[in-house]
Amino acid sequence: MATDIYEVSGLCVDVRYMVMGVLANNVYLVSDGEGTFVVDPSCDAEKILAALGDARLDAIVLTHGHFDHTGAAAARRRATGAPVIASALDAPQIENPSGVDLASRGVPCPVDRIVAQGDIVEVGSMKWKVIDTPGHTPGSLCLFNIPQFGNHPEGLPVLISGDTLFAGTIGRTDFEGGSMADMRASLKKLAALPDDTAVLPGHNSLTTIGAERRRVFALYGDPE
């Protein structure tokens, strides 16, 4: 059965995504026409390859180490040679899945590049700023890009939020390694982004920082 591919309009870069796997993950293909990367390849590496078409895959970004975000990463890496990018804290889990909850069912995958708060992931002419957002896992991360570094300068800035920020809610903190205190601090970082920032979450509907300021940040924010 074919997997539908959805195109997101109005952003500063080209974004397409598929909803894949038993937990209905959003698997994103992000491009500026010069470079392309995939975010959190959940499963079925062949479908992701087909969705790429003739585009070269330049990177595989993993927002955290849970199996539903990493399942096809190793196969994509072998097929394309694209480097896998993840945080230092979640890299061991990605490379050697273990533990309980959503951690132990992963497919082992080497991590080629470790990134941390403030690092820049360059793909094509895009420059994605890394934001460390622990809470769902110790090494969860988000990526932020502004129109200056996109192929649509009139489009919206973009946040790839993984399982940190969803439409109307946040990622669970009751899994192994989760922390509500860390999540609150992470949300405070995201609340500093512009209201018009489009948010691409790991599951469910897309949203904006402005919409979540009235919902998630108001509810979970750490008041001054």
Side-chain angles (χ1 to χ4, degrees):
M1 181 177 178
T3 300
D4 290 333
I5 302 176
Y6 304 96
E7 294 192 12
V8 186
S9 60
L11 309 185
C12 65
V13 292
D14 297 324
V15 174
R16 297 180 297 145
Y17 72 100
M18 297 171 286
V19 181
M20 305 183 72
V22 295
L23 296 182
N25 288 72
N26 296 332
V27 177
Y28 296 100
L29 298 172
V30 183
S31 177
D32 67 348
E34 298 178 31
T36 301
F37 65 97
V38 63
V39 180
D40 291 350
S42 173
C43 61
D44 205 329
E46 291 308 312
K47 286 184 179 179
I48 297 171
L49 180 63
L52 281 167
D54 295 331
R56 183 187 73 242
L57 186 64
D58 298 294
I60 300 164
V61 174
L62 304 180
T63 63
H64 62 289
H66 285 162
F67 85 97
D68 57 318
H69 293 257
T70 66
R76 287 292 86 241
R77 180 180 181 271
R78 286 194 301 270
T80 64
V84 172
I85 300 171
S87 70
L89 289 178
D90 275 22
Q93 190 65 57
I94 294 165
E95 295 186 323
N96 296 289
S98 62
V100 296
D101 298 325
L102 296 180
S104 62
R105 288 177 276 172
V107 177
C109 179
V111 174
D112 301 290
R113 180 185 172 191
I114 297 296
V115 293
Q117 176 73 30
D119 286 346
I120 302 297
V121 174
E122 295 191 39
V123 179
S125 295
M126 298 178 285
K127 298 180 186 297
W128 292 84
K129 182 178 180 180
V130 175
I131 306 173
D132 287 341
T133 52
H136 183 61
T137 67
S140 289
L141 59 82
C142 297
L143 295 179
F144 178 63
N145 191 57
I146 60 176
Q148 178 183 352
F149 302 116
N151 56 323
H152 303 295
E154 74 288 353
L156 299 178
V158 177
L159 177 76
I160 296 167
S161 65
D163 281 5
T164 298
L165 178 62
F166 298 127
T169 190
I170 61 173
R172 289 176 60 174
T173 60
D174 58 334
F175 292 132
E176 182 178 15
S179 166
M180 179 54 76
D182 287 347
M183 178 65 79
R184 288 182 184 276
S186 294
L187 293 172
K188 191 171 184 179
K189 293 180 186 177
L190 300 186
L193 300 178
D195 278 357
D196 65 347
T197 301
V199 177
L200 310 182
H203 304 267
N204 303 324
S205 301
L206 280 57
T207 185
T208 66
I209 289 294
E212 301 320 316
R213 194 176 308 285
R214 300 187 297 271
R215 300 187 298 190
V216 167
F217 300 142
L219 182 60
Y220 294 100
D222 187 8
E224 296 290 343

